[in-house]
mmCIF file of all heavy atoms in Angstrom:
data_model
loop_
_atom_site.group_PDB
_atom_site.id
_atom_site.type_symbol
_atom_site.label_atom_id
_atom_site.label_comp_id
_atom_site.label_asym_id
_atom_site.label_seq_id
_atom_site.Cartn_x
_atom_site.Cartn_y
_atom_site.Cartn_z
ATOM 1 N N ARG A 1 -128.859 57.585 43.712
ATOM 2 C CA ARG A 1 -128.911 56.688 44.862
ATOM 3 C C ARG A 1 -128.225 55.369 44.520
ATOM 4 O O ARG A 1 -128.353 54.870 43.403
ATOM 5 C CB ARG A 1 -130.367 56.404 45.248
ATOM 6 C CG ARG A 1 -130.533 55.562 46.509
ATOM 7 C CD ARG A 1 -132.007 55.257 46.789
ATOM 8 N NE ARG A 1 -132.558 54.293 45.847
ATOM 9 C CZ ARG A 1 -133.452 54.584 44.917
ATOM 10 N NH1 ARG A 1 -133.899 55.815 44.796
ATOM 11 N NH2 ARG A 1 -133.904 53.655 44.098
ATOM 12 N N ILE A 2 -127.491 54.830 45.466
ATOM 13 C CA ILE A 2 -126.883 53.508 45.319
ATOM 14 C C ILE A 2 -127.243 52.687 46.556
ATOM 15 O O ILE A 2 -127.045 53.143 47.681
ATOM 16 C CB ILE A 2 -125.352 53.567 45.178
ATOM 17 C CG1 ILE A 2 -124.948 54.419 43.966
ATOM 18 C CG2 ILE A 2 -124.772 52.155 45.053
ATOM 19 C CD1 ILE A 2 -123.449 54.600 43.825
ATOM 20 N N ILE A 3 -127.780 51.499 46.342
ATOM 21 C CA ILE A 3 -128.156 50.609 47.443
ATOM 22 C C ILE A 3 -127.573 49.227 47.181
ATOM 23 O O ILE A 3 -127.674 48.709 46.066
ATOM 24 C CB ILE A 3 -129.692 50.492 47.568
ATOM 25 C CG1 ILE A 3 -130.305 51.858 47.871
ATOM 26 C CG2 ILE A 3 -130.083 49.483 48.644
ATOM 27 C CD1 ILE A 3 -131.819 51.852 47.844
ATOM 28 N N ARG A 4 -126.971 48.632 48.204
ATOM 29 C CA ARG A 4 -126.526 47.250 48.058
ATOM 30 C C ARG A 4 -127.706 46.323 48.286
ATOM 31 O O ARG A 4 -128.381 46.405 49.308
ATOM 32 C CB ARG A 4 -125.415 46.917 49.054
ATOM 33 C CG ARG A 4 -124.758 45.552 48.768
ATOM 34 C CD ARG A 4 -123.708 45.216 49.782
ATOM 35 N NE ARG A 4 -124.317 44.896 51.078
ATOM 36 C CZ ARG A 4 -123.622 44.736 52.190
ATOM 37 N NH1 ARG A 4 -122.315 44.908 52.195
ATOM 38 N NH2 ARG A 4 -124.236 44.444 53.337
ATOM 39 N N VAL A 5 -127.968 45.452 47.324
ATOM 40 C CA VAL A 5 -129.101 44.537 47.396
ATOM 41 C C VAL A 5 -128.715 43.242 48.103
ATOM 42 O O VAL A 5 -129.485 42.681 48.873
ATOM 43 C CB VAL A 5 -129.646 44.238 45.976
ATOM 44 C CG1 VAL A 5 -130.833 43.297 46.044
ATOM 45 C CG2 VAL A 5 -130.031 45.533 45.269
ATOM 46 N N THR A 6 -127.518 42.752 47.827
ATOM 47 C CA THR A 6 -127.046 41.513 48.456
ATOM 48 C C THR A 6 -125.535 41.447 48.345
ATOM 49 O O THR A 6 -124.921 42.102 47.491
ATOM 50 C CB THR A 6 -127.667 40.271 47.790
ATOM 51 O OG1 THR A 6 -127.271 39.105 48.500
ATOM 52 C CG2 THR A 6 -127.220 40.145 46.342
ATOM 53 N N LYS A 7 -124.941 40.638 49.214
ATOM 54 C CA LYS A 7 -123.505 40.391 49.100
ATOM 55 C C LYS A 7 -123.199 38.908 48.915
ATOM 56 O O LYS A 7 -122.035 38.520 48.837
ATOM 57 C CB LYS A 7 -122.762 40.936 50.312
ATOM 58 C CG LYS A 7 -123.145 40.327 51.642
ATOM 59 C CD LYS A 7 -122.316 40.945 52.769
ATOM 60 C CE LYS A 7 -122.686 40.340 54.122
ATOM 61 N NZ LYS A 7 -121.888 40.930 55.217
ATOM 62 N N GLU A 8 -124.241 38.077 48.858
ATOM 63 C CA GLU A 8 -124.041 36.654 48.601
ATOM 64 C C GLU A 8 -125.288 36.069 47.928
ATOM 65 O O GLU A 8 -126.395 36.553 48.179
ATOM 66 C CB GLU A 8 -123.747 35.897 49.910
ATOM 67 C CG GLU A 8 -124.815 36.043 50.968
ATOM 68 C CD GLU A 8 -124.463 35.296 52.249
ATOM 69 O OE1 GLU A 8 -123.281 34.978 52.453
ATOM 70 O OE2 GLU A 8 -125.378 35.043 53.034
ATOM 71 N N PRO A 9 -125.176 35.111 47.035
ATOM 72 C CA PRO A 9 -123.942 34.465 46.598
ATOM 73 C C PRO A 9 -123.118 35.324 45.641
ATOM 74 O O PRO A 9 -122.007 34.978 45.286
ATOM 75 C CB PRO A 9 -124.462 33.206 45.888
ATOM 76 C CG PRO A 9 -125.775 33.633 45.327
ATOM 77 C CD PRO A 9 -126.365 34.563 46.354
ATOM 78 N N VAL A 10 -123.686 36.449 45.209
ATOM 79 C CA VAL A 10 -122.962 37.413 44.397
ATOM 80 C C VAL A 10 -123.183 38.784 45.011
ATOM 81 O O VAL A 10 -124.049 38.977 45.857
ATOM 82 C CB VAL A 10 -123.449 37.412 42.925
ATOM 83 C CG1 VAL A 10 -123.151 36.103 42.247
ATOM 84 C CG2 VAL A 10 -124.939 37.758 42.853
ATOM 85 N N LEU A 11 -122.406 39.746 44.570
ATOM 86 C CA LEU A 11 -122.642 41.133 44.951
ATOM 87 C C LEU A 11 -123.650 41.740 43.993
ATOM 88 O O LEU A 11 -123.584 41.503 42.781
ATOM 89 C CB LEU A 11 -121.338 41.931 44.898
ATOM 90 C CG LEU A 11 -120.408 41.824 46.108
ATOM 91 C CD1 LEU A 11 -119.049 42.420 45.766
ATOM 92 C CD2 LEU A 11 -121.012 42.535 47.309
ATOM 93 N N ALA A 12 -124.580 42.528 44.519
ATOM 94 C CA ALA A 12 -125.551 43.211 43.668
ATOM 95 C C ALA A 12 -125.822 44.589 44.241
ATOM 96 O O ALA A 12 -126.098 44.736 45.430
ATOM 97 C CB ALA A 12 -126.848 42.410 43.566
ATOM 98 N N TYR A 13 -125.702 45.601 43.384
ATOM 99 C CA TYR A 13 -125.978 46.976 43.764
ATOM 100 C C TYR A 13 -127.018 47.554 42.813
ATOM 101 O O TYR A 13 -127.009 47.260 41.612
ATOM 102 C CB TYR A 13 -124.718 47.837 43.702
ATOM 103 C CG TYR A 13 -123.695 47.525 44.760
ATOM 104 C CD1 TYR A 13 -122.698 46.593 44.538
ATOM 105 C CD2 TYR A 13 -123.723 48.184 45.992
ATOM 106 C CE1 TYR A 13 -121.750 46.304 45.505
ATOM 107 C CE2 TYR A 13 -122.777 47.896 46.967
ATOM 108 C CZ TYR A 13 -121.784 46.958 46.719
ATOM 109 O OH TYR A 13 -120.863 46.680 47.687
ATOM 110 N N GLU A 14 -127.876 48.396 43.355
ATOM 111 C CA GLU A 14 -128.928 49.046 42.578
ATOM 112 C C GLU A 14 -128.629 50.542 42.514
ATOM 113 O O GLU A 14 -128.496 51.201 43.548
ATOM 114 C CB GLU A 14 -130.270 48.790 43.256
ATOM 115 C CG GLU A 14 -131.471 49.269 42.494
ATOM 116 C CD GLU A 14 -132.761 48.877 43.214
ATOM 117 O OE1 GLU A 14 -133.145 47.693 43.119
ATOM 118 O OE2 GLU A 14 -133.348 49.750 43.887
ATOM 119 N N LEU A 15 -128.515 51.079 41.286
ATOM 120 C CA LEU A 15 -128.201 52.485 41.077
ATOM 121 C C LEU A 15 -129.389 53.174 40.410
ATOM 122 O O LEU A 15 -129.822 52.749 39.331
ATOM 123 C CB LEU A 15 -126.966 52.661 40.193
ATOM 124 C CG LEU A 15 -125.594 52.321 40.791
ATOM 125 C CD1 LEU A 15 -125.410 50.821 40.986
ATOM 126 C CD2 LEU A 15 -124.488 52.861 39.882
ATOM 127 N N ALA A 16 -129.922 54.215 41.051
ATOM 128 C CA ALA A 16 -130.972 55.023 40.430
ATOM 129 C C ALA A 16 -130.284 56.191 39.728
ATOM 130 O O ALA A 16 -129.553 56.965 40.355
ATOM 131 C CB ALA A 16 -131.943 55.536 41.482
ATOM 132 N N ILE A 17 -130.502 56.302 38.420
ATOM 133 C CA ILE A 17 -129.808 57.304 37.614
ATOM 134 C C ILE A 17 -130.833 58.177 36.897
ATOM 135 O O ILE A 17 -131.674 57.670 36.140
ATOM 136 C CB ILE A 17 -128.884 56.637 36.569
ATOM 137 C CG1 ILE A 17 -127.955 55.619 37.241
ATOM 138 C CG2 ILE A 17 -128.072 57.697 35.830
ATOM 139 C CD1 ILE A 17 -127.113 54.823 36.261
ATOM 140 N N SER A 18 -130.793 59.486 37.123
ATOM 141 C CA SER A 18 -131.652 60.405 36.389
ATOM 142 C C SER A 18 -130.898 60.891 35.157
ATOM 143 O O SER A 18 -129.676 61.084 35.181
ATOM 144 C CB SER A 18 -132.049 61.600 37.266
ATOM 145 O OG SER A 18 -130.902 62.255 37.787
ATOM 146 N N CYS A 19 -131.630 61.075 34.062
ATOM 147 C CA CYS A 19 -130.990 61.467 32.805
ATOM 148 C C CYS A 19 -132.041 62.004 31.842
ATOM 149 O O CYS A 19 -133.215 61.644 31.925
ATOM 150 C CB CYS A 19 -130.283 60.273 32.167
ATOM 151 S SG CYS A 19 -131.411 58.913 31.787
ATOM 152 N N PRO A 20 -131.648 62.865 30.900
ATOM 153 C CA PRO A 20 -132.615 63.410 29.941
ATOM 154 C C PRO A 20 -132.998 62.438 28.828
ATOM 155 O O PRO A 20 -134.080 62.532 28.264
ATOM 156 C CB PRO A 20 -131.898 64.642 29.379
ATOM 157 C CG PRO A 20 -130.443 64.352 29.565
ATOM 158 C CD PRO A 20 -130.334 63.530 30.807
ATOM 159 N N ASP A 21 -132.105 61.509 28.484
ATOM 160 C CA ASP A 21 -132.372 60.572 27.381
ATOM 161 C C ASP A 21 -132.152 59.150 27.888
ATOM 162 O O ASP A 21 -131.037 58.619 27.856
ATOM 163 C CB ASP A 21 -131.451 60.869 26.196
ATOM 164 C CG ASP A 21 -131.800 60.062 24.954
ATOM 165 O OD1 ASP A 21 -132.490 59.028 25.088
ATOM 166 O OD2 ASP A 21 -131.382 60.464 23.849
ATOM 167 N N ARG A 22 -133.227 58.516 28.334
ATOM 168 C CA ARG A 22 -133.104 57.186 28.931
ATOM 169 C C ARG A 22 -132.665 56.141 27.912
ATOM 170 O O ARG A 22 -131.922 55.225 28.241
ATOM 171 C CB ARG A 22 -134.429 56.776 29.562
ATOM 172 C CG ARG A 22 -134.759 57.554 30.812
ATOM 173 C CD ARG A 22 -135.919 56.987 31.566
ATOM 174 N NE ARG A 22 -137.197 57.171 30.897
ATOM 175 C CZ ARG A 22 -138.369 57.025 31.499
ATOM 176 N NH1 ARG A 22 -138.426 56.701 32.779
ATOM 177 N NH2 ARG A 22 -139.496 57.198 30.841
ATOM 178 N N THR A 23 -133.149 56.254 26.687
ATOM 179 C CA THR A 23 -132.809 55.253 25.675
ATOM 180 C C THR A 23 -131.321 55.247 25.377
ATOM 181 O O THR A 23 -130.678 54.187 25.326
ATOM 182 C CB THR A 23 -133.599 55.503 24.382
ATOM 183 O OG1 THR A 23 -135.001 55.451 24.666
ATOM 184 C CG2 THR A 23 -133.257 54.462 23.334
ATOM 185 N N ALA A 24 -130.747 56.442 25.193
ATOM 186 C CA ALA A 24 -129.316 56.528 24.896
ATOM 187 C C ALA A 24 -128.484 56.026 26.067
ATOM 188 O O ALA A 24 -127.487 55.315 25.881
ATOM 189 C CB ALA A 24 -128.944 57.975 24.553
ATOM 190 N N LEU A 25 -128.885 56.386 27.287
ATOM 191 C CA LEU A 25 -128.138 55.932 28.461
ATOM 192 C C LEU A 25 -128.248 54.423 28.622
ATOM 193 O O LEU A 25 -127.264 53.747 28.948
ATOM 194 C CB LEU A 25 -128.644 56.639 29.713
ATOM 195 C CG LEU A 25 -127.969 56.219 31.031
ATOM 196 C CD1 LEU A 25 -126.467 56.473 30.971
ATOM 197 C CD2 LEU A 25 -128.588 56.951 32.211
ATOM 198 N N ARG A 26 -129.440 53.883 28.392
ATOM 199 C CA ARG A 26 -129.628 52.437 28.491
ATOM 200 C C ARG A 26 -128.687 51.706 27.549
ATOM 201 O O ARG A 26 -127.992 50.757 27.945
ATOM 202 C CB ARG A 26 -131.072 52.066 28.159
ATOM 203 C CG ARG A 26 -131.316 50.572 28.015
ATOM 204 C CD ARG A 26 -132.670 50.306 27.391
ATOM 205 N NE ARG A 26 -132.889 48.897 27.153
ATOM 206 C CZ ARG A 26 -132.448 48.221 26.103
ATOM 207 N NH1 ARG A 26 -131.731 48.852 25.166
ATOM 208 N NH2 ARG A 26 -132.686 46.932 25.964
ATOM 209 N N ASP A 27 -128.655 52.130 26.290
ATOM 210 C CA ASP A 27 -127.800 51.465 25.302
ATOM 211 C C ASP A 27 -126.329 51.562 25.695
ATOM 212 O O ASP A 27 -125.567 50.607 25.525
ATOM 213 C CB ASP A 27 -128.021 52.082 23.920
ATOM 214 C CG ASP A 27 -129.410 51.796 23.363
ATOM 215 O OD1 ASP A 27 -130.094 50.892 23.910
ATOM 216 O OD2 ASP A 27 -129.824 52.481 22.407
ATOM 217 N N ALA A 28 -125.941 52.722 26.221
ATOM 218 C CA ALA A 28 -124.543 52.922 26.607
ATOM 219 C C ALA A 28 -124.169 52.044 27.804
ATOM 220 O O ALA A 28 -123.072 51.474 27.848
ATOM 221 C CB ALA A 28 -124.297 54.389 26.932
ATOM 222 N N LEU A 29 -125.077 51.917 28.753
ATOM 223 C CA LEU A 29 -124.797 51.081 29.922
ATOM 224 C C LEU A 29 -124.675 49.611 29.541
ATOM 225 O O LEU A 29 -123.780 48.900 30.014
ATOM 226 C CB LEU A 29 -125.897 51.260 30.965
ATOM 227 C CG LEU A 29 -125.915 52.585 31.720
ATOM 228 C CD1 LEU A 29 -127.185 52.704 32.550
ATOM 229 C CD2 LEU A 29 -124.684 52.725 32.611
ATOM 230 N N LEU A 30 -125.581 49.145 28.686
ATOM 231 C CA LEU A 30 -125.523 47.747 28.258
ATOM 232 C C LEU A 30 -124.260 47.468 27.455
ATOM 233 O O LEU A 30 -123.674 46.391 27.533
ATOM 234 C CB LEU A 30 -126.773 47.394 27.448
ATOM 235 C CG LEU A 30 -128.086 47.386 28.240
ATOM 236 C CD1 LEU A 30 -129.263 47.112 27.323
ATOM 237 C CD2 LEU A 30 -128.038 46.356 29.364
#
């Protein structure tokens, strides 16, 4: 799922991501 949270004063989108290894994905995203 992708939802736009705001478009001002900055753009912000929220992405819900399912995955088998949250720790590895978290580190990779950061």
Side-chain angles (χ1 to χ4, degrees):
R1 185 183 72 250
I2 302 176
I3 298 173
R4 190 182 71 189
V5 181
T6 185
K7 61 179 180 180
E8 57 181 19
V10 295
L11 278 168
Y13 290 90
E14 186 176 283
L15 288 71
I17 308 174
S18 55
C19 60
D21 188 341
R22 289 191 290 196
T23 301
L25 178 59
R26 171 193 176 277
D27 293 345
L29 288 171
L30 293 176

